Amino acid sequence: MTPRILIVLTSHDRLGDTGEKTGFWLEELAAPYYVFQDAGAELTLASPKGGQPPLDPKSDAEESQTEATRRFQQDAEAKARLAATQRLADVKADDYDAIFYPGGHGPLWDLVDDADSVRLIEAFWAQGKPVSAVCHAPIVLLNAKDEHGKPLVEGRAVTGFTNGEEDAVGLTEIVPQLVEDALIAKGGRYTKADDFAPYTRQDGNLITGQNPPSSEPVARCLMDALKG
């Protein structure tokens, strides 16, 4: 049976009050996209506003390119799919087998408390389906509750963009909250590797990754979870 994966991207494009643009991080979409597609999964892309999600321009710079990002940029079908994401409000967990969130700084502003996103995460979790996020995107888990009404991350192994990594990119004072601190405050059993080293955590159906280089490993963990 073909696994169906919902990929949820941010619709937020402003980096606080800096006047700079933000959005999703290209590698964090592209690397998992091809892990999923090459494994035969059926993919649906969605975002709060629908349509074309904003791309963080820094993730499109030459120094941020990878084999997967170059493949994506040359993939007309993938780019057309990205330009026409479904509205999150129109999506149902019943239609999919797993949900995955790429990061970038955008989710810190919109997906963290988006009611439709929280609804979906809680529905996937209740149905025993994998919930996965990488880099800044584990922030989307903060307001979701588990089957007992407790924070989804409470007592569970998680990771995400570290305080050190945020400091390294110079945005500690710009972001509304730090991913590491926020996950710990909600009771998550947060651990991390060295800054910008690939690192993933899996706690049952909850799968998280620390940073952009963790994107592909997280996606592979998700595919393994779908195989049971």
Side-chain angles (χ1 to χ4, degrees):
M1 188 167 150
T2 302
R4 299 160 300 172
I5 301 175
L6 178 65
I7 299 176
V8 180
L9 296 133
T10 182
S11 291
H12 184 87
D13 68 353
R14 297 184 312 280
L15 190 60
D17 299 324
T18 64
E20 296 182 27
K21 294 293 189 180
T22 190
F24 73 91
W25 196 261
L26 183 56
E27 181 182 1
E28 295 168 27
L29 168 64
Y33 185 95
Y34 291 115
V35 169
F36 300 152
Q37 180 175 276
D38 293 349
E42 180 182 307
L43 306 180
T44 297
L45 275 59
S47 63
K49 295 181 180 178
Q52 176 74 53
L55 173 66
D56 188 314
K58 292 178 183 174
S59 74
D60 202 25
E62 181 56 36
E63 63 268 20
S64 299
Q65 298 312 298
T66 66
E67 183 178 339
T69 64
R70 291 189 176 93
R71 180 179 173 188
F72 193 93
Q73 296 289 30
Q74 296 168 4
D75 187 336
E77 181 183 342
K79 290 197 290 185
R81 187 176 288 176
L82 178 64
T85 66
Q86 296 188 23
R87 285 180 65 248
L88 216 45
D90 299 331
V91 175
K92 297 184 297 182
D94 294 356
D95 296 333
Y96 303 95
D97 301 303
I99 189 169
F100 173 75
Y101 288 81
H105 283 86
L108 297 175
W109 277 275
D110 65 349
L111 289 171
V112 62
D113 53 11
D114 183 279
D116 293 308
S117 177
V118 172
R119 165 183 62 83
L120 283 166
I121 291 168
E122 291 179 346
F124 274 88
W125 188 260
Q127 294 171 17
K129 298 172 179 177
V131 173
S132 183
V134 67
C135 198
H136 285 88
I139 205 79
V140 306
L141 304 169
L142 284 191
N143 295 310
K145 302 284 199 302
D146 67 10
E147 64 273 23
H148 306 296
K150 295 182 178 180
L152 182 59
V153 300
E154 185 176 311
R156 294 190 169 94
V158 290
T159 192
F161 207 60
T162 71
N163 291 352
E165 288 168 332
E166 200 68 79
D167 187 57
V169 299
L171 295 175
T172 300
E173 303 303 323
I174 304 299
V175 295
Q177 56 186 330
L178 295 167
V179 176
E180 176 179 338
D181 288 352
L183 290 171
I184 292 170
K186 280 287 185 177
R189 293 194 292 112
Y190 179 93
T191 55
K192 59 188 175 183
D194 292 340
D195 288 351
F196 302 106
Y199 185 67
T200 63
R201 295 299 305 277
Q202 180 169 1
D203 194 324
N205 280 321
L206 184 62
I207 303 165
T208 49
Q210 181 176 313
N211 46 35
S214 308
S215 303
E216 184 173 322
V218 162
R220 296 196 184 284
C221 285
L222 178 54
M223 290 308 302
D224 287 344
L226 284 171
K227 293 173 187 172

